[in-house]
Each structure stands twice: as structure tokens, then as C-alpha cells.
């Protein structure tokens, strides 16, 4: 029971977690990690990422059964989801217009339908329309024809609904969208923002439940794609990798520490500062922000991996017969400087302006300080004065490493050559493709592409946006822009579904007078077997329509389907309105861009180009802030170790970063924000190595060997953890693991090689 205090401390710290989490809100809003926009295009893009229609789209494919069964399942699912308030729009190819809304739209068909053109009311056109009605009455569509055709022989209402259903881009079979396979398709748009992962997951669960409630036949299966699916798949992939790595890492690190310290207790000793640091990070971030982002907690704990070194340095540096309290007091100046420099290195994150990154930096900085204080003041009180027995390193290896300072010239030459090589080749390649950062597995992305193509989802590569003072002005603007760009692409916009009031009035004003339309219908009816009064409802509706007011966005409470159609394309923004136009089948991008410049106030956003520019700009900003952080670290080191000593440590640290990025470039790795974040962790770890090895200049052989042994132990535990991460396929884990693994090895070797030679005391504290 010599270590009962350690177990008691771990139990208290473990009990503190649930108590603290009762008072700290954990959030998962990923928008906290979006960068700041510096252009109108970037601001629009980020707004769309937060709440745009494309991020709220879920696509379902149903396959594995006969077409008629798939259609039945599709109808059942759609009907159930239409009644679910979590969805703003559900469509499967059937009209699904309620009776009240159908009556409203039918009454306004001549104002809304693009088929209600003056040419449709000429005598020849009416003759052709009446002949079509006659044919329809003799077909299987006779019930539908009897319902609508005598009041609407020109087919304005049905043409309008067909246009809403996608202009026939998707094949319809058994009354629903059916892709080859066969595969029935259902499109659903959530009311919640795409970045609201919790709401998206609820929507996904609702779709899965609707599929089950539809009593699918044996073999039928549901395919789903969209942001909610991406979030779930990404989380599952990361979780699976982390669980596997954590288990293997625990076994490997535990086995190594057991061998090194002849006791499994070292694992418990390491856990105390880590737990204290995590609690401190949670408490500080929760107090400052009122909540803690889940990503800040996850990545913060990863960055706190550096604190595992602190108890290892304490226990391993203890001299024979020296009480552990004295060891803690002796190494404290070096450990304190290492922590201060690591916190200074995190300053760029604190000043980044990204709420998520500020949280991450604050979490890591608070944790580092708490873990260091725990190591200095708490661990010596918890452990026996003699600490833990430490197995000595192989003597030959220790001697070889301690003689590395004699080869400093060769090491400096190597660093110079690598620096010249990197400069000559332009340095590491920066990743500019946002898709490369996605943790979503490739099969899931491929399915999303296939479903989007089959359902005819709009191409979001380019978006046109304009702002106006009112909804009417926005609709009129959309009509003008669509007309101006019609020759360059197919344009989808809100006015296709709800024309501006001006357009509606113009269409109604163009309707023929009562006497004229009556004469034309009478002439068109000659020779056809219709009663003279058969089309009186049509004549009455024409007369009524001319006196109707236009339908406006304010009237759409009674037309939920139409409201859902235009919601992604027309929305209020503060006191103004925003209209979006989605060009597809772009025939000439340059011509489209040139034509767009002729429309005042129109914003053309190339999604991919803007995304890449945004990523590049913020990566550049991250590098700039990293430079500022490096300068702060240099000043701190110079203050703590003098100019020569500080320069020696900075050279070891900078050399490790140089060799790491050179190795990454040689491996063909494109540098992402994940590599840069991992470099901060690497800098913190490398700082410990360089600071503790820099003391060997004025140490005797035994003390220098203990310092070397402590640093080697720290390096091996880090390699056993992050080396496994490097094998993961998830971009964030792979980048972090590979960067830290390479960097730690380089940092260790440089810390040994650039340490002062024995007897050279000019740089030691």
C-alpha cells in the first residue's frame, strides 16, 4: 500500500470529472472552427456552410426490391416525413400537394405557371389543347383529366407542377422518382442547419424509422447521404481508429513503462498530471466561454499528451539517495521554462480569432500549467521518497548518444543542406483541396455523388447571389439575372416557382378579354364532341384571375410546398432579402462570369475556388502566427538560458521542425492545418528534450545518463502513441501521428547532438 496516495488522488480526480461536467456545457457546433472571411464571396460561402440549403439536403435511395415495392416504400416514407416538422421539404417525384394548397395554386395558376403565355390562348393553341383533352379522356389518365381539364384545358396547372418536380430530369416510374437499378429516390431538406450535427442525426434517424415503418420487403435496403450521414460516418471512423490506437498504445506504453520502472505503478503516476491538466483545461475554458467545444476537448487532450513527460522526467532524474521532493525542486527551473515556452508557443492559437482554436489553445495552456504544478508539488507528496526503481539504459547506447555533441559540425551541415534543398524545391506543398481533409470514407463520398447525380441535385460548384431591399425586388432581380444569363447556363431561382408580383400582374393582364376567349374556345370546339358549356369553368376562371391580387411570399402560409420550394432560394437577411440563383449545365464559365459582371450587385461565387482560396489564406495566417509564437519562444529561451543557450535550444527545436517538414515533403505529404497543429505539439515535446539535454554540459556522467534516460523514455512513449496514429487513414489522425512521430525522433537526436560538450558551461542554467 505504498502507493495508496496515488490511487486516492486518481479516484478523486476521476470523481471530479462528472461533477465538473454537470456545470460545463459541451457543444458540437463546428462553425466555431470556421475561419474568418475577408471578401464578400468568402463571407457568403461561410454563411452558406453554416445555414445554406445544400448543407441541409439528405438524399435517400431505396433498392433491392421490385419497382412497385420500391414505389410503395417511397410513398410511405415521403408521406410520413412530410408530416415531420424537422423537414422543410420532402419530395419523391409525386406532387404531394394538399387539397387546400392545390386549390390555392389552381386559382393562381395563370399568374404562376410559365405555360400561361398569350400564345396558349390563341384559337389554334386552344384547338390543340381541346384535342389533347379528348385524347386524355380516352386514356388511363381520364380521372385526372376530368378533374382539371375542363377548367384548365391549356394545362397551366399541371405544367407548373411538372416543372416543380424537376423538369423531367429524373425518370418517374409508378408515380415516384426511379433511377436505374431500380432505385427509388427521396429528397429531404431539414429545417436545422447542416452544421447542427445533433439535429442532422435526428433527421437521419427519422428517415431510417420511416423506412422501417414502411414495412420494406425482404431484400429492400435504404441508402442515405448528406451532412448528417457524413457527420455520423466521420465520427464512427475517427472513433474506431482512436479506440484501436488507444488500446494498442495502452498495451505498448504500459509494457514499456513496466520494463523501464519494474512496476506497473508508473502508469498510475503518469495519469495524475494528465487528469489534473484535463480538469484544469475544462474548468478554465468553461469559465471563460461558458461552454467547451467537443473538438477542443478532444484535440486538447491529445495536445496534453506532452504532460506525460513531466512525471517521467521527475522520477527518472532522481539521483541515488535523493528524496523525490529534492529532485522536483532541482528540475523545476528547467521544467518551468519548458512549460512557459510551450504556453508561449500556443499564443498564436489564443490570438487566432477562431473561437474553437482559442478554446483549444486555452485548454492546452491551462492543462500544461496545471500538470506541471501537479508534478512539482503534488506527485512528490503522493509517491514514496525513493520514487520508483529505474532500469538503466544499455551502457553502449548511452555513451554513443552522449558523444553525439562531438559530431555537431556534421549535424549542422546536414541541417544546412536540408534547408537549402527545401528552399530550392519551393518548400512543402500546401494542401488546397478541402476534400482531402475530410474524414468521411471514400465509399460514402462516392455514394453521395451517385445519389446526387440521380436525384438531379443542383450543382453547387457555382452560386449567384444578390441582395435587395424587399422580397419583390429580390424576385425581380432574380428574373432579370436569369434572363440575362440564360444563354450561358440553366438557372434555377425562386421566381421560377413564385414569379415577382410585377410578372404575375403582367401575365394576368395578358389574358384575353371575356368575349375574345369565349369566341376562341367556341371556334376551337367546333367538330369536337364537347358540350357548348363544357369549358364554362375555364372561362369563369379566366375572368376571375384577371381581378386577383398576385401571390407573394407573405401569402405562402397556406402553400407549404411552394414555401418549401423557394425557401432555399429566397430568404430574409436582417432588413434585406437574399435571392440565390443556381446555374447548372454551365456551357462557358468565362462567359457566365463576364455576363454576371453586367448585373449590378450580383455576387458570383465559385465554391471550389473560394474554398481553396479561403483555406490558403488561413493557412498562411496560421504560418504567420506560428512565426510570431516562435519569436515569443525565442525571447523566453534567451531570458531563461542566455543568448547562446537559448540559441542552442532554438536551433534544436527549429532543426527538428525543418527535418520533419522535409521528411513530410519527401513522403509526398501535402501540408494541412492538421500538420501545423501537430507541429505545435511537436514543438512542446521537443522543447522538453532540448532543455533537459542542454543541462548535460555541467553534469557528471551519472547525472547526464539519467537525464538522457529520462528523455529517451519520454521519446519512446511518445513514439508508441503517435506512431500508431500515423498508420490511421483518417486525415487528422494520420497527419498528427506522422508529424509528431517524425518530429519526436528528429527532436531527440538534435537535442543530443546540439547539447553542450562536457565542461562547456557557457549555456547551462
Amino acid at each position: 500500500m505504498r502507493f495508496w496516495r496515488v490511487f486516492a488522488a486518481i479516484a478523486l480526480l476521476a470523481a471530479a470529472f462528472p461533477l465538473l461536467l454537470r456545470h460545463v456545457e459541451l457543444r458540437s457546433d463546428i462553425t466555431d472552427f470556421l475561419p474568418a472571411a475577408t471578401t464578400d464571396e468568402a463571407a457568403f460561402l461561410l454563411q452558406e456552410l453554416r445555414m445554406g440549403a445544400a448543407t441541409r439536403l439528405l438524399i435517400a435511395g431505396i433498392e433491392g426490391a421490385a419497382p412497385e415495392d420500391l414505389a410503395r416504400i417511397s410513398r410511405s416514407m415521403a408521406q410520413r416525413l412530410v408530416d415531420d416538422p424537422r423537414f422543410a421539404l420532402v419530395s419523391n417525384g409525386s406532387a404531394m400537394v394538399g387539397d387546400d394548397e392545390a386549390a390555392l395554386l389552381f386559382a393562381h395558376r395563370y399568374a404562376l405557371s410559365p405555360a400561361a403565355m398569350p400564345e396558349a390562348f390563341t384559337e389554334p393553341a386552344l384547338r390543340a389543347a381541346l384535342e389533347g383533352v379528348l385524347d386524355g379522356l380516352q386514356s388511363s389518365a381520364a380521372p385526372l383529366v376530368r378533374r382539371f381539364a375542363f377548367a384548365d384545358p391549356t394545362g397551366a396547372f399541371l405544367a407548373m407542377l411538372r416543372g416543380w418536380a424537376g423538369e423531367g430530369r429524373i425518370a418517374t416510374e409508378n408515380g415516384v422518382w426511379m433511377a436505374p437499378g431500380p432505385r427509388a429516390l427521396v429528397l429531404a431538406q431539414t429545417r436545422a442547419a447542416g452544421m447542427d450535427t445533433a439535429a442532422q442525426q435526428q433527421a437521419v434517424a427519422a428517415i431510417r424509422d420511416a423506412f422501417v415503418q414502411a414495412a420494406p420487403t425482404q431484400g429492400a435496403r435504404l441508402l442515405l447521404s448528406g451532412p448528417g450521414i457524413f457527420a455520423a460516418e466521420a465520427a464512427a471512423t475517427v472513433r474506431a481508429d482512436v479506440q484501436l490506437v488507444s488500446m494498442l498504445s495502452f498495451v505498448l506504453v504500459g509494457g514499456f513503462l513496466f520494463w523501464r520502472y519494474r512496476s506497473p505503478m508508473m502508469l498510475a503516476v503518469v495519469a495524475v498530471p494528465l487528469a489534473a491538466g484535463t480538469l484544469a483545461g475544462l474548468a478554465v475554458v468553461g469559465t471563460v466561454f461558458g461552454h467547451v467545444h467537443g473538438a477542443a476537448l478532444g484535440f486538447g487532450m491529445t495536445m496534453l499528451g506532452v504532460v506525460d513527460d513531466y512525471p517521467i522526467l521527475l522520477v527518472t532524474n532522481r539521483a541515488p539517495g535523493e528524496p523525490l521532493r529534492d529532485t522536483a525542486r532541482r528540475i523545476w527551473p528547467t521544467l518551468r521554462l519548458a512549460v512557459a515556452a510551450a504556453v508561449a508557443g500556443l499564443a498564436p492559437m489564443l490570438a487566432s480569432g477562431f473561437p474553437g482554436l482559442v478554446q483549444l489553445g486555452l485548454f492546452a495552456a491551462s492543462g500544461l500549467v496545471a500538470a506541471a504544478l501537479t508534478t512539482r508539488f503534488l506527485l512528490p507528496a503522493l509517491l514514496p521518497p525513493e520514487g520508483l526503481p529505474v532500469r538503466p539504459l544499455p551502457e553502449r547506447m548511452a555513451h554513443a548518444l552522449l558523444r553525439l555533441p562531438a559530431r555537431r559540425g556534421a549535424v549542422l551541415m546536414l541541417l544546412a543542406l536540408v534547408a537549402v534543398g527545401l528552399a530550392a524545391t519551393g518548400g512543402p506543398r500546401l494542401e488546397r483541396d478541402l476534400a482531402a481533409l475530410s474524414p468521411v470514407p471514400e465509399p460514402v463520398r462516392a455514394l453521395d455523388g451517385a445519389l446526387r447525380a440521380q436525384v438531379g441535385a443542383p450543382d453547387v460548384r457555382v452560386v449567384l447571389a444578390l441582395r435587395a431591399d424587399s422580397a419583390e425586388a429580390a424576385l425581380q432581380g432574380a428574373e432579370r439575372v436569369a434572363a440575362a444569363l440564360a444563354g450561358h447556363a440553366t438557372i434555377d431561382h425562386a421566381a421560377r416557382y413564385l414569379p415577382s408580383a410585377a410578372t404575375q400582374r403582367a401575365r394576368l393582364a395578358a389574358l384575353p378579354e371575356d368575349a375574345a376567349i369565349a369566341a376562341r374556345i367556341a371556334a376551337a370546339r367546333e367538330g369536337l364532341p364537347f358540350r357548348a358549356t363544357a369549358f364554362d369553368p375555364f372561362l369563369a376562371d379566366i375572368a376571375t384571375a384577371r381581378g386577383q391580387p398576385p401571390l407573394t411570399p407573405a401569402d405562402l402560409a397556406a402553400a407549404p410546398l411552394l414555401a418549401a420550394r423557394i425557401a432555399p432560394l429566397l430568404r430574409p437577411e436582417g432588413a434585406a432579402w437574399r435571392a440565390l440563383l443556381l446555374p447548372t449545365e454551365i456551357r462557358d464559365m468565362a462567359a457566365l462570369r463576364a455576363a454576371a459582371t453586367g448585373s449590378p450587385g450580383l455576387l458570383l461565387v465559385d465554391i471550389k475556388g473560394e474554398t481553396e482560396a479561403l483555406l490558403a489564406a488561413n493557412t498562411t495566417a496560421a504560418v504567420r502566427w506560428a512565426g510570431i509564437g516562435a519569436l515569443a519562444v525565442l525571447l523566453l529561451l534567451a531570458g531563461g538560458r542566455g543568448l547562446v543557450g537559448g540559441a542552442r535550444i532554438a536551433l534544436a527545436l527549429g532543426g527538428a521542425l525543418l527535418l520533419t517538414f522535409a521528411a513530410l515533403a519527401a513522403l509526398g505529404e501535402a501540408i494541412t492545418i492538421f500538420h501545423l497543429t501537430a507541429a505545435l505539439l511537436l514543438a512542446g515535446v521537443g522543447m522538453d528534450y532540448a532543455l533537459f539535454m542542454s543541462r548535460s554540459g555541467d553534469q557528471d556522467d551519472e547525472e547526464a545518463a539519467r537525464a538522457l534516460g529520462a528523455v529517451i523514455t519520454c521519446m519512446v512513449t511518445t513514439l508508441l502513441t503517435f506512431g500508431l496514429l500515423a498508420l490511421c487513414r483518417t486525415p487528422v489522425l494520420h497527419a498528427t501521428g506522422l508529424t509528431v512521430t517524425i518530429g519526436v525522433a528528429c527532436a531527440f537526436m538534435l537535442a543530443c547532438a546540439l547539447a553542450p560538450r562536457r565542461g562547456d558551461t557557457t549555456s547551462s542554467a
Side-chain angles (χ1 to χ4, degrees):
M1 295 301 292
R2 299 165 58 216
F3 297 99
W4 68 269
R5 293 188 183 89
V6 176
F7 289 116
I10 291 176
L12 287 174
L13 291 169
F17 272 102
L19 293 176
L20 182 59
L21 288 176
R22 287 184 184 179
H23 303 283
V24 175
E25 177 193 359
L26 285 179
R27 283 175 42 173
S28 58
D29 186 357
I30 200 67
T31 57
D32 284 349
F33 283 85
L34 291 179
T38 56
T39 65
D40 291 342
E41 289 81 359
F44 171 81
L45 176 63
L46 293 177
Q47 185 183 32
E48 288 301 298
L49 286 174
R50 290 185 175 97
M51 53 181 294
T55 65
R56 293 184 282 123
L57 198 63
L58 291 168
I59 306 174
I62 311 155
E63 61 181 22
E68 52 272 21
D69 290 327
L70 297 177
R72 177 187 60 77
I73 297 170
S74 172
R75 283 192 293 272
S76 174
M77 289 177 62
Q79 195 58 55
R80 182 176 290 274
L81 296 175
V82 161
D83 297 331
D84 191 323
R86 285 170 289 199
F87 297 97
L89 169 68
V90 176
S91 184
N92 68 341
S94 58
M96 293 192 302
V97 181
D99 291 341
D100 293 342
E101 183 171 4
L104 177 69
L105 297 177
F106 194 77
H108 286 270
R109 63 190 180 279
Y110 295 120
L112 301 180
S113 176
M117 303 300 290
E119 306 85 58
F121 300 99
T122 62
E123 183 180 324
L126 288 171
R127 174 72 182 190
L130 297 190
E131 290 175 348
V133 171
L134 190 61
D135 292 340
L137 290 171
Q138 297 169 353
S139 70
S140 59
L144 188 65
V145 175
R146 289 193 193 94
R147 181 180 177 186
F148 293 113
F150 292 103
D152 184 22
T154 61
F157 180 64
L158 295 179
M160 180 180 68
L161 293 185
R162 280 196 297 271
W164 292 3
E167 298 180 331
R169 283 179 294 184
I170 316 172
T172 300
E173 186 175 343
N174 294 301
V176 301
W177 287 331
M178 194 73 69
R183 177 186 291 169
L185 299 168
V186 179
L187 185 149
Q189 194 170 70
T190 62
R191 295 188 189 279
M195 293 280 185
D196 187 343
T197 54
Q200 289 293 326
Q201 288 172 2
Q202 290 177 9
V204 169
I207 295 177
R208 295 191 191 282
D209 181 64
F211 175 72
V212 173
Q213 296 300 324
T217 54
Q218 186 174 10
R221 57 184 174 275
L222 175 68
L223 307 174
L224 269 177
S225 182
I229 299 298
F230 286 174
E233 291 288 346
T237 302
V238 173
R239 191 183 308 117
D241 280 348
V242 169
Q243 286 176 348
L244 179 61
V245 168
S246 299
M247 184 178 63
L248 292 175
S249 175
F250 180 80
V251 172
L252 292 173
V253 172
F256 173 73
L257 291 180
F258 179 74
W259 172 82
R260 187 81 169 96
Y261 297 95
R262 308 173 193 266
S263 167
M265 277 308 303
M266 195 62 197
L267 271 177
V269 174
V270 167
V272 174
L274 179 61
T278 305
L279 279 172
L282 267 175
V284 172
V285 173
T287 301
V288 173
F289 288 87
H291 68 274
V292 177
H293 198 288
L297 175 61
F299 281 98
M301 290 184 66
T302 301
M303 297 187 75
L304 282 185
V306 67
V307 306
D308 289 352
D309 292 355
Y310 300 167
I312 291 174
L313 292 168
L314 170 67
V315 172
T316 314
N317 273 295
R318 190 186 73 84
E322 182 183 36
L324 205 57
R325 292 177 187 273
D326 293 345
T327 307
R329 189 178 302 111
R330 177 167 54 84
I331 69 169
W332 177 240
T334 303
L335 185 59
R336 183 179 56 200
L337 181 58
V339 173
V343 171
L346 294 171
M349 300 179 76
L350 297 173
S352 67
F354 294 36
L357 285 183
V358 173
Q359 280 202 15
L360 178 55
L362 185 60
F363 185 100
S366 307
L368 287 173
V369 172
L373 292 175
T374 301
T375 303
R376 166 64 181 89
F377 297 104
L378 182 60
L379 277 185
L382 298 178
L383 290 169
E386 69 275 18
L388 290 168
V390 183
R391 189 186 299 273
L393 293 175
E395 191 172 342
R396 287 188 177 181
M397 182 182 74
H399 286 171
L401 290 172
L402 289 174
R403 285 198 295 269
L404 276 180
R407 302 180 183 278
R408 185 183 303 162
V411 173
L412 293 176
M413 182 65 71
L414 171 66
L415 292 178
L417 289 175
V418 172
V420 171
L422 271 184
T425 57
R429 178 170 59 91
L430 296 179
E431 182 57 76
R432 302 185 185 280
D433 186 0
L434 197 61
L437 308 183
S438 172
V440 180
E442 178 56 32
V444 178
R445 282 188 278 173
L447 173 64
D448 180 70
L451 288 176
R452 282 182 178 273
Q454 290 178 337
V455 83
D459 181 4
V460 293
R461 189 168 67 90
V462 176
V463 175
L464 300 160
L466 57 87
R467 284 172 63 89
D469 294 335
S470 65
E472 172 64 13
L475 288 170
Q476 289 186 23
E479 290 170 343
R480 282 196 304 274
V481 171
L485 306 182
H488 306 294
T490 301
I491 310 288
D492 192 20
H493 55 95
R496 282 187 60 233
Y497 311 100
L498 181 66
S500 66
T503 297
Q504 293 184 53
R505 291 193 186 97
R507 286 178 179 174
L508 296 178
L511 291 174
E513 295 295 329
D514 292 351
I517 190 64
R520 292 174 195 173
I521 201 76
R525 186 176 52 79
E526 282 189 14
L528 297 178
F530 292 113
R531 295 192 309 272
T533 59
F535 295 99
D536 283 356
F538 170 58
L539 301 177
D541 283 357
I542 291 281
T544 303
R546 279 198 301 270
Q548 283 181 325
L551 204 61
T552 68
D555 303 321
L556 297 188
L561 180 65
L562 179 56
R565 280 285 177 190
I566 69 168
L569 302 171
L570 179 71
R571 61 172 182 256
E573 282 187 3
W577 283 74
R578 171 82 74 179
L580 301 184
L581 298 93
L582 307 179
T584 57
E585 302 172 357
I586 298 174
R587 289 174 276 283
D588 186 338
M589 185 62 199
L592 179 70
R593 192 182 292 276
T597 58
S599 300
L602 181 65
L603 199 65
L604 186 149
V605 182
D606 182 339
I607 301 293
K608 190 170 188 298
E610 275 307 319
T611 303
E612 292 176 356
L614 196 62
L615 192 61
N618 284 279
T619 301
T620 303
V623 172
R624 183 172 63 250
W625 277 108
I628 295 173
L631 180 61
V633 172
L634 285 176
L635 293 175
L636 202 57
L637 290 176
R641 288 298 173 90
L643 287 179
V644 175
R648 190 194 306 279
I649 295 167
L651 180 60
L653 193 57
L657 292 171
L658 172 69
L659 293 178
T660 301
F661 282 102
L664 292 174
L667 292 173
E669 288 276 319
I671 304 304
T672 68
I673 194 71
F674 303 141
H675 294 91
L676 298 177
T677 304
L680 286 177
L681 174 61
L682 162 63
V685 173
M687 187 87 64
D688 295 346
Y689 301 172
L691 281 169
F692 276 88
M693 289 305 298
S694 70
R695 300 169 61 245
S696 62
D698 57 351
Q699 293 173 333
D700 59 33
D701 288 347
E702 289 187 2
E703 190 175 358
R706 283 194 298 273
L708 175 64
V711 172
I712 286 181
T713 304
C714 295
M715 179 195 66
V716 172
T717 56
T718 304
L719 288 179
L720 291 177
T721 300
F722 287 91
L724 294 173
L725 284 181
L727 302 178
C728 295
R729 288 181 299 176
T730 307
V732 58
L733 300 180
H734 171 76
T736 303
L738 189 61
T739 304
V740 174
T741 300
I742 296 173
V744 160
C746 295
F748 170 73
M749 294 306 296
L750 288 175
C752 293
L754 299 180
R757 294 188 181 94
R758 297 300 172 80
D760 180 3
T761 60
T762 56
S763 61
S764 298

